[in-house]
Amino acid sequence: MAASKKISAPVEKKINTWSGRFSEPVSQLVQRYTASVSFDRRLAEYDIQGSLAHARMLAATDIIGADDLAAIQLGLDQIREEIRSGEFVWLLELEDVHLNIEKRLTALIGDAGKRLHTARSRNDQVATDIRLYLRASIDDIVSLIHAMQQALLDLAEKHTDTVMPGFTHLQVAQPVVFGHHLMAYFEMLKRDVERLSDCRRRVNRLPLGAAALAGTSYPIDRDRVAQELGFDGVCENSLDAVSDRDFAIEFCAAAALIMTHLSRLSEELILWMNPSFGFIDLADRFCTGSSIMPQKKNPDVPELVRGKTGRVNGHLVALLTLMKAQPLAYNKDNQEDKEPLFDTVDTLIDTLRIYADMLTGVRVNREAMYKAAMRGYATATDLADYLTKKGLPFREAHETVAQAVRFADDSGRDLSALTLPELQQFSPLIANDIFAVLTLEGSVSSRNHIGGTAPAQVSAAIARARKCLS
Ligand code: ARG
């Protein structure tokens, strides 16, 4: 809006929101206790967007006049600018974002401002605001997950033949390639995106029109508002529309799972960076030192991701608990939905942004990974499979190999370092072709089916993943 057209009105300091019905004002403590403006002001843009759509519908259905609509639009545009520039004065006395904006609108444009709330309640208004906010947040989060998936793919691509020990029970189990290990996280994140997209469909419904709880006697056009705001449809029961926050709970559940996945990866990065593993190093910008031990380089960022997962899980439990005993319809309890939800979104966004960057700075020590895979008889299963393919029942093969491992262990060598006659003591089925099977490379290459760790399969998985991201 051009500065010359700016409407001027002083900020009213004396406020009496509930007027005639009340004989005494609330105490300052109660005012602070019940107010949400300190945190719900971040919904302001969505509140204005919702109000504009509502006002246009009111005018289109002749519930308010065209002149009122024009004034409301001018006033709300100006308020949006005031908020963006930081000059808007937020008042605790006005409780929440909705009343702050409405009061300012009335100060700027007079009676037309008072007409905006026709056929509406803060109950359907706030439910609409949160849904608009959450829809935008989901879209941001999905893009950030995609960026992290790209980073995983780029790293995995460089390591389709980097052998490392695969673990079960954190004990060396079978060799895998590092790219395969990373692609496991790609799959987890893929499901996370699916969950968010599914949740988005239920977020994207319009509560406005439900008014306080029962609907409204005005001839409103809900579909029009839904369409203007980009919703897929309207909430079909007014009581449900103003009271349930299941869409936010679902989102928090999806967020908790994302953080859980990132926490698992963090735990691995921390282990791998420990000198006893020495598999990777993280770029210095994600680590800190110790104030007492000069040699230390601590993986603070992954540790914090692991820690912050607890807080996001906590928000999910907070929202479930918030909802569990609420009778229909709206209750003030619902005001408590915002901080957990906002903090979940903020934590997730920061974590994902930092993670994509951190993955690009991972330095891999191939030799350390290879050496670790050589310890722990990672190809024992390959020897058992070899014997089984030559006709020995698998359970017998399992026992035969257990004895060979014991022998190798006693002589301090890997299975592949035993001589042919040594191996043949355990089974006459063993021939010279066994050595191709007992090497780490032979072992990973033999798992050559979709989902297996053979380098060719990992490359194919990366290619499929790139296609699904583009
Ligand atoms: N600040 C309130 C919230 O976040 C807005 C709705 C208040 N409605 C009411 N009837 N007190 O839920």
Side-chain angles (χ1 to χ4, degrees):
M1 170 189 280
S4 57
K5 282 207 207 129
K6 229 176 160 180
I7 316 162
S8 69
V11 176
E12 241 182 275
K13 288 282 179 206
K14 197 180 159 322
I15 282 124
N16 185 0
T17 315
W18 314 121
S19 65
R21 167 76 177 75
F22 289 81
S23 54
E24 59 172 1
V26 293
S27 74
Q28 279 203 337
L29 176 60
V30 170
Q31 198 166 69
R32 188 161 56 73
Y33 195 73
T34 53
S36 54
V37 65
S38 60
F39 50 86
D40 69 12
R41 51 198 267 193
R42 69 189 273 173
L43 293 174
E45 293 271 343
Y46 303 106
D47 197 66
I48 291 171
Q49 201 187 337
S51 287
L52 284 169
H54 179 68
R56 285 182 196 121
M57 181 278 289
L58 291 179
T61 49
D62 289 328
I63 299 170
I64 63 170
D67 47 340
D68 286 330
L69 173 61
I72 288 170
Q73 292 186 139
L74 273 183
L76 286 176
D77 283 347
Q78 177 168 326
I79 289 171
R80 190 195 280 124
E81 286 314 311
E82 289 175 359
I83 292 171
R84 283 184 187 168
S85 68
E87 66 187 272
F88 191 90
V89 183
W90 297 99
L91 296 174
L92 186 80
E93 301 88 305
L94 287 173
E95 200 178 310
D96 57 23
V97 60
H98 324 291
L99 292 176
N100 268 272
I101 291 177
E102 193 185 324
K103 193 81 177 172
R104 178 73 182 141
L105 184 67
T106 303
L108 290 175
I109 65 171
D111 281 353
K114 295 182 187 161
R115 293 202 178 96
L116 171 62
H117 211 51
T118 313
R120 185 176 77 168
S121 152
R122 279 186 299 155
N123 298 351
D124 57 346
Q125 187 178 357
V126 71
T128 303
D129 291 5
I130 305 172
R131 284 170 184 263
L132 288 171
Y133 159 80
L134 191 51
R135 185 180 71 187
S137 302
I138 288 175
D139 293 345
D140 289 346
I141 290 166
V142 167
S143 318
L144 289 169
I145 295 180
H146 284 156
M148 180 171 164
Q149 285 180 303
Q150 286 288 359
L152 276 172
L153 288 180
D154 292 343
L155 189 58
E157 188 131 72
K158 292 191 211 139
H159 296 286
T160 53
D161 59 2
T162 303
V163 177
M164 68 181 285
F167 299 102
T168 60
H169 313 269
L170 203 58
Q171 306 294 316
V172 172
Q174 291 171 355
V176 295
V177 295
F178 185 49
H180 192 55
H181 193 112
L182 293 171
M183 287 303 286
Y185 287 99
F186 182 93
E187 291 293 317
M188 294 178 222
L189 292 174
K190 194 164 100 183
R191 292 192 297 277
D192 287 327
V193 168
E194 284 171 15
R195 263 185 287 275
L196 287 177
S197 311
D198 191 45
C199 168
R200 190 190 192 280
R201 292 191 302 120
R202 285 179 288 279
V203 169
N204 205 25
R205 296 261 152 193
L206 174 76
L208 271 182
L213 76 163
T216 174
S217 57
Y218 295 93
I220 56 171
D221 181 352
R222 297 186 69 200
D223 288 331
R224 185 198 151 100
V225 181
Q227 216 177 358
E228 178 169 343
L229 292 174
F231 285 107
D232 295 330
V234 302
C235 298
E236 294 199 4
N237 178 291
S238 63
L239 298 165
D240 176 48
V242 292
S243 66
D244 209 346
R245 296 291 183 264
D246 59 354
F247 61 90
I249 296 174
E250 256 190 74
F251 168 79
C252 285
L257 271 171
I258 298 169
M259 288 300 292
T260 298
H261 290 152
L262 299 182
S263 180
R264 295 186 71 190
L265 179 53
S266 298
E267 171 71 8
E268 299 204 306
L269 294 177
I270 294 163
L271 281 175
W272 294 341
M273 199 178 134
N274 178 295
S276 335
F277 280 77
F279 289 3
I280 62 154
D281 200 14
L282 292 179
D284 286 356
R285 64 183 186 282
F286 302 105
C287 301
T288 64
S290 154
S291 54
I292 176 167
M293 297 166 283
Q295 85 284 10
K296 290 292 287 281
K297 179 174 164 186
N298 298 328
D300 285 38
V301 169
E303 288 172 70
L304 273 173
V305 172
R306 202 174 51 184
K308 284 174 190 285
T309 303
R311 128 192 207 157
V312 171
N313 290 352
H315 294 326
L316 169 62
V317 175
L319 290 194
L320 284 166
T321 312
L322 174 74
M323 190 51 59
K324 74 174 272 293
Q326 280 193 52
L328 293 183
Y330 176 85
N331 301 280
K332 186 77 164 181
D333 312 40
N334 281 339
Q335 183 164 287
E336 287 288 308
D337 65 352
K338 288 171 201 62
E339 288 161 294
L341 186 61
F342 293 161
D343 190 68
T344 299
V345 169
D346 292 345
T347 305
L348 205 49
I349 284 181
D350 282 352
T351 304
L352 286 164
R353 284 179 56 195
I354 220 164
Y355 234 110
D357 189 19
M358 189 163 66
L359 286 175
T360 61
V362 170
R363 278 191 306 278
V364 175
N365 185 338
R366 289 169 190 262
E367 292 71 41
M369 285 186 177
Y370 195 90
K371 267 199 200 142
M374 286 296 287
R375 288 191 299 266
Y377 308 101
T379 55
T381 318
D382 298 273
L383 176 54
D385 288 343
Y386 169 91
L387 293 171
T388 307
K389 283 174 201 157
K390 296 211 166 179
L392 203 62
F394 182 78
R395 277 290 160 234
E396 269 177 51
H398 184 280
E399 183 48 32
T400 305
V401 176
Q403 285 171 14
V405 167
R406 192 170 174 172
F407 177 82
D409 205 28
D410 288 345
S411 68
R413 284 175 294 165
D414 183 58
L415 285 175
S416 61
L418 301 184
T419 63
L420 187 58
E422 278 173 330
L423 284 165
Q424 282 169 335
Q425 309 168 62
F426 301 100
S427 169
L429 294 170
I430 297 177
N432 218 2
D433 57 354
I434 188 59
F435 293 103
V437 170
L438 288 183
T439 61
L440 298 177
E441 291 77 5
S443 171
V444 292
S445 301
S446 68
R447 285 158 169 80
N448 192 16
H449 53 78
I450 187 158
T453 192
Q457 289 295 340
V458 176
S459 296
I462 294 171
R464 284 196 303 275
R466 285 213 190 278
K467 239 196 215 145
C468 108
L469 270 192
S470 62

